[in-house]
Amino acid sequence: MHRRTFLRGSAGAVAGLTLINNASAQDGGVVRIGSDIPYRPFEYQTATGELVGFDVDIADAIFTGQLDRNYEFVQTSFDTIIPSLNNGNFRVIMSAMTITPERAKQVDFSDPYFTAYQTVLVLKDGGINDLQDLRGQTVAVQKGTTGEQAAEKLKRQFNGNLTIDSYDQIPDAFAALGNNQAAAVINDNTVNAEFAQQNDRVRLLEGEGVAEQQGRENAPPYLTLTVEEYGIAFRKNDNQFRQQVNDALATIQENGTYDEIYDEYFQSVGTDGGTTSG
């Protein structure tokens, strides 16, 4: 039985449920999950309004399948998602969130459950054929993401000769690329690849990158600016629950559930991305 619900979280609606959630979170109540939606293929809505995606199905496998808990997703802007977690607006974050030292100062992470790479999405006829072609150009990113951080690093490499436009949500960055307001989108590989699969005007920039430099097995066939690991984020004082989730995550990796979910979302996209099962 699916016990998935989706709360379109205005600040008021979230605040109104905070005290109930905090009281019930320790005694089998609904697990509220903060997530930036849409971020296809990790969390997004279908035309009929159903919430689907890789993170959504992993959440179902962990909370319903292993922990016998109800859960609901709370739509939250990514650039404020960690403060919202620490303010008690939800119990965990599942939002394709990369584990970084900076974030680990504010939250605790689960064991890694997905390997990702920052990549560069460009127009096929946009004249960008290698990374150096971005000098003097504008790139689009999502606020508060490691894609934004990768763009800032590239700007330093270009001695400041790069303009970065940061958007609240990744579809706005894709729109900027399509409208020739940006020469590229820097973002996670699976999300860029999913968009490229659905839009024949764009492609992933090719070239040898960090994945090859690190000797990664099955490195993607396109330029990688970073190698990253996703984790589920918890408040610092939630160690018992974090261990329960880690144990459940290990179980679905061992029993094949994780691989089934991974294959559903990524085998057809051709990302050569990073399952971290087993």
Side-chain angles (χ1 to χ4, degrees):
M1 172 184 175
H2 277 283
R3 287 168 287 181
R4 172 192 311 164
T5 60
F6 172 43
L7 178 64
R8 292 185 179 86
S10 69
V14 171
L17 292 173
T18 296
L19 293 177
I20 296 173
N21 179 60
N22 287 349
S24 63
Q26 305 301 326
D27 61 4
V30 174
V31 178
R32 304 179 76 234
I33 304 169
S35 193
D36 172 54
I37 303 165
Y39 199 68
R40 187 184 182 110
F42 288 92
E43 39 269 330
Y44 62 100
Q45 287 179 274
T46 66
T48 60
E50 181 186 6
L51 184 65
V52 297
F54 179 77
D55 277 343
V56 178
D57 285 1
I58 292 294
D60 192 65
I62 289 173
F63 297 114
T64 299
Q66 295 299 317
L67 301 182
D68 195 27
R69 298 285 294 273
N70 293 335
Y71 65 93
E72 63 185 11
F73 276 79
V74 181
Q75 184 172 348
T76 308
S77 296
F78 196 84
D79 59 334
T80 61
I81 201 167
I82 287 179
S84 293
L85 172 70
N86 286 328
N87 285 338
N89 292 340
F90 32 81
R91 187 76 183 270
V92 300
I93 296 170
M94 291 189 69
S95 192
M97 176 171 277
T98 298
I99 300 169
T100 69
E102 295 78 13
R103 290 171 179 164
K105 294 176 183 177
Q106 304 173 72
V107 299
D108 285 335
F109 283 101
S110 69
D111 295 331
Y113 71 96
F114 194 87
T115 302
Y117 312 89
Q118 289 304 312
T119 54
V120 183
L121 188 74
V122 298
L123 293 172
K124 289 180 179 178
D125 61 357
I128 305 298
N129 297 309
D130 59 47
L131 202 59
Q132 295 302 315
D133 289 336
L134 288 176
R135 285 183 181 271
Q137 301 288 340
T138 297
V139 297
V141 300
Q142 184 177 9
K143 289 179 183 177
T145 65
T146 49
E148 187 177 51
Q149 293 174 9
E152 290 168 350
K153 181 179 180 180
L154 186 61
K155 183 174 183 176
R156 292 192 294 270
Q157 293 174 359
F158 288 171
N159 296 316
N161 196 15
L162 182 72
T163 299
I164 302 171
D165 285 348
S166 299
Y167 294 87
D168 289 335
Q169 294 188 318
I170 198 62
D172 297 326
F174 289 147
L177 176 64
N179 293 331
N180 292 304
Q181 296 171 306
V185 173
I186 297 179
N187 192 54
D188 294 0
N189 62 310
T190 48
V191 179
N192 273 350
E194 174 94 2
F195 184 77
Q197 188 181 52
Q198 299 175 9
N199 189 322
D200 61 8
R201 294 181 59 212
V202 302
R203 63 180 176 87
L204 286 162
L205 191 63
E206 297 180 353
E208 185 174 308
V210 174
E212 289 85 357
Q213 293 166 11
Q214 292 186 3
R216 290 271 174 160
E217 294 184 9
N218 301 318
Y222 40 73
L223 180 70
T224 54
L225 302 180
T226 66
V227 177
E228 307 176 0
E229 302 287 350
Y230 292 167
I232 302 168
F234 302 78
R235 288 189 292 274
K236 285 287 187 178
N237 62 352
D238 211 2
N239 293 329
Q240 182 177 359
F241 188 55
R242 180 165 60 91
Q243 187 57 56
Q244 291 173 354
V245 171
N246 270 336
D247 291 344
L249 179 59
T251 297
I252 67 169
Q253 289 173 330
E254 291 166 1
N255 68 16
T257 301
Y258 179 100
D259 289 336
E260 291 177 5
I261 297 170
Y262 180 91
D263 289 347
E264 178 181 352
Y265 288 98
F266 301 116
Q267 289 297 88
S268 62
V269 176
T271 61
D272 293 328
T275 173
T276 58
S277 86

